[in-house]
Amino acid sequence: MTILQALEGYYHRLAERGAVASPGWSSEKFGWCIEIGADGGLVDVIDLHDTRGRKPKTVLYQVPAAVKRTVGIAPNFLWDKTAYVLGRTAGAGKRTAEEHARFVAFHQLRLTGQTDEGLLALLRFLERWRPEHFDDETRFRPEMLDANVMFRLAGERLFIHQRPAARALVEKGEADGGGETAFCLITGEQAPIARLHPSIKGVEGAQTAGAALVSFNLDAFTSLGKEQGANAPTSEVAAFRYGAALNHLLARDGPNRVRRPIGDATVVFWADASDAEGSHSEAADAAESWFAGVNDPPTDAEEEVKIGRDMDAIAQGRPLADLRPDILPGTRFFVLGLSPNAARLSVRFWLTGAFSEFAGNLAAHYQDLHIEPRPFHWGGAPSVFRLLVRTTALLQDAKNIPPQLAGEVMRAVLTGGRYPQSLLAAVMIRLRAGDDPLSGWHVAVIRAVLRRDHRKDRKKEDVPVSLAPDEPNRAYQLGRLFAVLEAAQRMALGKVNATIRDRYFGAASATPATVFPLLLRGVQNHLARLRKDGKGGWVERDITDILDRLPPDLPRSLPLIEQGRFVVGYYHQRKEQFKGRPDVAATIEDDEGSDQ
């Protein structure tokens, strides 16, 4: 199923609930309404903003469908921004007078012959209005400029565009659309085709006025001399439906949108339970709610832990139906990632399949991340966004997540495929740049990459979940050795300006044959001091034990994957070596805290 077909199908579910506009209508943001009398005179200016939050917010209203503007002048019907309606703008307004004149002429043409009191009042208002009245009338406010405004007849509750006569005009305009007909690639029906596809709003980084998911504006995009939408025939009705559904999904703070972008991709999702047995709408809602909880973990700690338990149970083979009987078998799921691309949108990823497969893949992802001990502030099941921020972004700033990498990671998580090797490289770069490996987040991601490679190809080595002293991998043992050498320095010298981790961590993981001889010579002084103080005998025993597991000739260099195993070994040893030694652990933690 294509993206547009899936969105067109989702529209019908939304329409049953009244959540989207009908053809010929669109949802637009409004903060102001001009109330007029039957003679067209100004009565009042009504503030429509939602004032329940800290800052007033505009409110969505269904109005006659917004026209798609490029560089031309095209007025909307019965509403528009102040440049068109009132002839006033906050900017330079080089063509504001022309925009207002076109708005007035357009409504004089459309409303001629109408007998409805509200429509006639609007026509009279436009005929008597002059832009300079905005400054003369105290009820108009500067913050109205460039905002959308609508109209209402004094003494009535309906806005003018909601009056039966206005609705009839909108429906008549839709019916008279006509135009060239063709075979619609979405519905498979012969119907008038859309010349221009709808604007999609809400994608992070895209134009606020909206960008096109489908467009043809260069000769290179066209074929056989066809123009615009004729290159990929889509009926006007189908284009409207998919646009309305996608704009609904992209609504700010909407339940079907991943709260934060994954790299440069804004991610939306929806379910289709029409082929499942039972309550289709409720099953789809349940699937969407569960997926949203996994990708945007709740702030409630108990709920987050519950999601983590669900992940563990599914990963161990327990059917999703046992955990969530309200999610019916046969429910299909769709995930769409959109990125900005000038005036258009790029599809970063498009994934479809049975919801049970998505759940299984998500559970496998969290199982692959499993590391002991758990990372700091891990919670139940951290989102992909949080993982990438903590392990790949400079200064842990979401803007610094590599966008291409983010899309590939999300695809791997949702499809169960291999993680991109660039993820391992990005994590190692952050560790070399000074990120703390003891936080555990980087180690969890490293283990996930290595663990999944092993699951996909059994010839590749697995990686331990927790400390494995008998692990045969030399890079893992080198990481353990580095942790013990660091402990010897800490115990012997206490607080120092720069530890061996600060100086040599990256070099030791990449070129052990060069670094470790230097470190082993230096540790003799630390061991001598510990022996003199009568403590730390276990340090010397651990060093000897690990060296016995290593070959006489250390590797001159380690490939990236082996550097990852080095980090895992370091983390395991560092976290476990002070267990049972609380006094030493407290001293080390105090010293580390004073270094930061």
Side-chain angles (χ1 to χ4, degrees):
M1 184 178 291
T2 67
I3 298 173
L4 303 189
Q5 286 174 323
L7 287 168
E8 198 266 349
Y10 180 59
Y11 171 87
H12 295 289
R13 177 180 153 206
L14 295 173
E16 290 176 0
R17 302 179 174 183
V20 288
S22 302
W25 299 78
S26 63
S27 296
E28 305 295 335
K29 295 179 179 179
F30 286 86
W32 309 96
C33 171
I34 299 175
E35 193 172 55
I36 56 178
D39 62 350
L42 175 68
V43 174
D44 200 1
V45 175
I46 302 170
D47 189 340
L48 301 175
H49 288 85
D50 181 355
T51 57
R52 289 175 294 182
R54 293 183 179 179
K55 295 177 60 178
K57 293 183 179 180
T58 54
V59 181
L60 285 174
Y61 287 89
Q62 290 189 11
V63 293
V67 297
K68 186 166 184 176
R69 295 177 180 138
T70 52
V71 295
I73 296 176
N76 288 306
F77 186 46
L78 304 180
W79 67 275
D80 217 314
K81 59 183 182 178
T82 58
Y84 278 83
V85 175
L86 305 176
R88 291 299 302 270
T89 180
K94 295 181 179 179
R95 60 179 195 176
T96 302
E98 185 180 355
E99 290 171 341
H100 177 61
R102 187 76 63 86
F103 184 84
V104 174
F106 173 69
H107 282 77
Q108 287 175 331
L109 179 64
R110 290 290 302 271
L111 301 181
T112 297
Q114 295 297 312
T115 58
D116 178 77
E117 185 180 15
L119 296 178
L120 290 176
L122 174 59
L123 190 57
R124 294 178 184 129
F125 172 84
L126 294 175
E127 289 174 344
R128 62 191 293 181
W129 173 262
R130 299 294 180 270
E132 54 268 21
H133 293 170
F134 187 92
D135 298 321
D136 299 336
E137 176 56 62
T138 58
R139 282 169 287 195
F140 289 110
R141 310 177 196 177
E143 56 264 34
M144 290 179 61
L145 294 176
D146 297 325
N148 289 335
V149 295
M150 58 173 75
F151 293 90
R152 184 166 70 187
L153 189 62
E156 298 197 2
R157 298 181 61 183
L158 292 178
F159 298 109
I160 287 180
H161 67 268
Q162 295 174 329
R163 299 173 68 88
R167 289 185 172 276
L169 279 176
V170 174
E171 293 171 4
K172 182 177 183 298
E174 284 294 299
D176 293 345
E180 179 186 357
T181 63
F183 180 83
C184 176
L185 297 179
I186 296 178
T187 64
E189 300 173 352
Q190 194 80 12
I193 63 171
R195 179 175 174 272
L196 298 177
H197 284 243
S199 294
I200 306 303
K201 302 177 181 180
V203 175
E204 294 286 344
Q207 295 180 352
T208 55
L213 183 61
V214 180
S215 68
F216 305 88
N217 66 336
L218 293 175
D219 291 341
F221 306 151
T222 63
S223 61
L224 301 175
K226 296 181 182 296
E227 295 183 356
Q228 299 289 356
N231 286 276
T234 302
S235 68
E236 293 177 348
V237 172
F240 169 82
R241 288 173 180 165
Y242 91 71
L246 186 51
N247 280 318
H248 175 85
L249 290 167
L250 288 165
R252 296 283 180 182
D253 301 324
N256 292 71
R257 170 178 175 150
V258 175
R259 190 157 40 94
R260 301 191 182 187
I262 308 298
D264 67 346
T266 301
V267 182
V268 295
F269 53 88
W270 66 100
D272 177 12
S274 57
D275 294 335
E277 296 182 3
S279 176
H280 300 167
S281 180
E282 292 179 4
D285 289 344
E288 292 165 358
S289 176
W290 189 88
F291 185 86
V294 172
N295 285 279
D296 279 326
T299 54
D300 187 307
E302 291 185 6
E303 285 296 318
E304 189 175 7
V305 171
K306 182 179 180 298
I307 291 173
R309 287 198 297 264
D310 285 351
M311 295 288 98
D312 291 337
I314 295 171
Q316 292 167 10
R318 190 174 177 185
L320 177 64
D322 290 353
L323 301 169
R324 292 294 302 268
D326 52 342
I327 302 176
L328 301 177
T331 300
R332 291 187 58 79
F333 206 71
F334 309 90
V335 182
L336 174 62
L338 296 174
S339 301
N341 181 18
R344 285 180 292 278
L345 301 175
S346 295
V347 177
R348 184 66 76 187
F349 49 84
W350 164 240
L351 305 170
T352 70
F355 184 73
S356 58
E357 295 176 1
F358 279 94
N361 292 334
L362 283 166
H365 164 65
Y366 292 112
Q367 193 73 5
D368 289 338
L369 286 168
H370 185 207
I371 192 80
E372 292 291 345
R374 288 294 179 94
F376 291 140
H377 307 299
W378 184 257
S383 66
V384 173
F385 169 82
R386 193 174 172 204
L387 275 177
L388 293 173
V389 166
R390 294 292 296 264
T391 62
T392 67
L394 175 65
L395 302 177
Q396 294 188 13
D397 188 337
K399 293 182 292 186
N400 295 326
I401 298 174
Q404 188 71 33
L405 172 64
E408 293 173 355
V409 171
M410 192 68 174
R411 183 190 300 275
V413 170
L414 296 179
T415 62
R418 281 180 169 160
Y419 298 102
Q421 289 300 303
S422 54
L423 175 61
L424 180 58
V427 171
M428 293 301 299
I429 288 171
R430 292 309 317 147
L431 288 174
R432 292 193 190 101
D435 281 10
D436 183 8
L438 297 180
S439 72
W441 287 79
H442 305 78
V443 183
V445 172
I446 291 170
R447 183 181 185 273
V449 174
L450 301 178
R451 171 64 180 163
R452 183 157 298 189
D453 282 350
H454 169 72
R455 288 200 295 109
K456 297 295 181 181
D457 183 357
R458 292 293 177 176
K459 294 180 181 179
K460 296 190 175 183
E461 292 183 64
D462 200 357
V463 59
V465 175
S466 57
L467 180 64
D470 297 328
E471 169 64 33
N473 182 272
R474 59 184 182 178
Y476 182 87
Q477 294 294 347
L478 285 169
R480 290 186 60 213
L481 178 59
F482 191 89
V484 179
L485 297 178
E486 181 188 11
Q489 182 194 40
R490 284 286 194 180
M491 293 174 64
L493 304 181
K495 180 180 180 297
V496 294
N497 291 330
T499 66
I500 63 171
R501 189 181 82 192
D502 299 326
R503 293 175 180 268
Y504 299 111
F505 188 79
S509 65
T511 57
T514 303
V515 176
F516 273 95
L518 174 65
L519 298 179
L520 289 170
R521 286 195 298 271
V523 80
Q524 298 306 318
N525 295 325
H526 303 149
L527 294 175
R529 182 162 185 173
L530 291 176
R531 284 193 294 268
K532 181 179 179 181
D533 295 339
K535 60 181 181 180
W538 62 271
V539 176
E540 195 163 0
R541 289 194 300 271
D542 281 357
I543 292 174
T544 302
D545 178 68
I546 296 171
L547 287 174
D548 288 343
R549 300 174 187 277
L550 289 168
D553 297 326
L554 297 180
R556 298 185 62 182
S557 63
L558 291 176
L560 185 63
I561 290 177
E562 295 302 291
Q563 293 177 39
R565 294 182 190 278
F566 178 99
V567 176
V568 176
Y570 170 82
Y571 177 79
H572 283 160
Q573 182 68 30
R574 186 71 169 76
K575 288 292 186 178
E576 297 293 330
Q577 63 189 357
F578 298 123
K579 280 191 174 180
R581 304 180 179 96
D583 295 341
V584 178
T587 302
I588 296 295
E589 289 174 2
D590 289 343
D591 289 341
E592 287 181 338
S594 62
D595 287 344
Q596 294 174 356

